[in-house]
Amino acid sequence: AQSVSQHNHHVILSEAASLELGCNYSYGGTVNLFWYVQYPGQHLQLLLKYFSGDPLVKGIKGFEAEFIKSKFSFNLRKPSVQWSDTAEYFCAVSYDYKLSFGAGTTVTVRA
Amino acid sequence: DTGVSQDPRHKITKRGQNVTFRCDPISEHNRLYWYRQTLGQGPEFLTYFQNEAQLEKSRLLSDRFSAERPKGSFSTLEIQRTEQGDSAMYLCASSLVETREAFFGQGTRLTVV
């Protein structure tokens, strides 16, 4: 069974700081990769996805992620965070139709 | 709102009681998924439908759990003889076969007391 590992449980940073969240997965075949975000009190929303092609993908709200096949990684980045980025972030992997999620990283941005 | 809708949002029940949750997917989506999320964890796959056919059930889904999707539209998830370990957020998601992008509802939070 595939597994997804997120490196940080809780990240605290100030506005305008850069953010990078790590994600590694265990499956060795062709995978689809996702980052979801859950703002307080809201449902999971898709930030970005990678299926194939350019390994650097851009998502909504200034987020981007880089797929590095050799490292089985799909790290999420944002150059300058805002207070409104406070949320829980989930990395997910799929090789068929169902998603396997990491445990999530809570990001707190201080004004 | 044309997103995935779940009802109820919260359910408190006594151990041993049966509960049923409903999910209304995005109307044109032919795939529907149920996930369960416990505190501090990411969602875990429970089961999945393509149209009205239930195509896979996770080992997490014990015999006390049953899911249906009559006519390929809304879906229900029933838990019989609830246990305290069933307390969790139950999430529904839907997608199109072609896009592989799942859209999630806000979930039903179940508390078994």
Side-chain angles (χ1 to χ4, degrees):
Chain A
Q2 56 188 302
S3 66
V4 181
S5 173
Q6 292 187 236
H7 305 165
N8 308 97
H9 182 63
H10 195 180
V11 172
I12 302 172
L13 60 170
S14 300
E15 277 193 309
S18 63
L19 172 70
E20 181 161 359
L21 302 181
C23 173
N24 286 89
Y25 62 94
S26 63
Y27 185 68
T30 301
V31 293
N32 303 314
L33 299 159
F34 306 82
W35 276 96
Y36 281 84
V37 62
Q38 188 166 27
Y39 299 104
Q42 295 190 27
H43 60 282
L44 279 166
Q45 300 172 41
L46 184 68
L47 264 183
L48 47 77
K49 60 192 176 190
Y50 173 80
F51 293 159
S52 63
D54 188 345
L56 184 64
V57 293
K58 295 192 182 300
I60 61 172
K61 305 187 180 188
F63 285 90
E64 64 178 31
E66 184 176 12
F67 169 52
I68 303 180
K69 188 174 181 179
S70 61
K71 295 184 178 180
F72 299 91
S73 71
F74 189 56
N75 293 351
L76 181 72
R77 297 193 290 254
K78 184 169 184 178
S80 176
V81 296
Q82 300 172 312
W83 176 81
S84 57
D85 293 322
T86 295
E88 191 157 18
Y89 293 80
F90 293 94
C91 179
V93 173
S94 169
Y95 67 93
D96 47 17
Y97 45 82
K98 58 183 184 253
L99 295 165
S100 295
F101 285 86
T105 298
T106 301
V107 173
T108 302
V109 179
R110 292 181 169 160
Chain B
D1 188 345
T2 56
V4 178
S5 176
Q6 292 188 245
D7 182 71
R9 293 287 306 281
H10 303 273
K11 178 71 176 179
I12 300 174
T13 191
K14 292 183 179 179
R15 189 173 52 186
Q17 297 295 304
N18 299 344
V19 294
T20 301
F21 310 141
R22 178 182 170 120
C23 171
D24 286 274
I26 294 172
S27 59
E28 64 269 26
H29 284 185
N30 42 24
R31 284 186 173 165
L32 186 148
Y33 314 81
W34 286 98
Y35 289 82
R36 181 171 67 187
Q37 185 177 16
T38 53
L39 198 61
Q41 300 298 320
E44 296 174 293
F45 172 79
L46 292 179
T47 189
Y48 132 82
F49 292 84
Q50 182 156 319
N51 301 312
E52 67 274 12
Q54 186 174 18
L55 297 186
E56 184 175 339
K57 294 196 294 185
S58 161
R59 285 172 293 179
L60 293 175
L61 216 63
S62 76
D63 291 344
R64 296 184 297 105
F65 288 71
S66 62
E68 295 182 343
R69 193 184 182 196
K71 303 178 184 178
S73 55
F74 70 94
S75 176
T76 58
L77 178 67
E78 181 183 15
I79 310 174
Q80 295 182 327
R81 306 180 303 282
T82 52
E83 302 172 356
Q84 284 190 320
D86 297 331
S87 295
M89 177 74 85
Y90 289 85
L91 297 170
C92 178
S94 68
S95 73
L96 286 169
V97 170
E98 299 80 14
T99 62
R100 294 172 282 172
E101 178 181 330
F103 292 80
F104 282 82
Q106 290 193 289
T108 294
R109 182 171 295 284
L110 173 66
T111 303
V112 181
V113 298

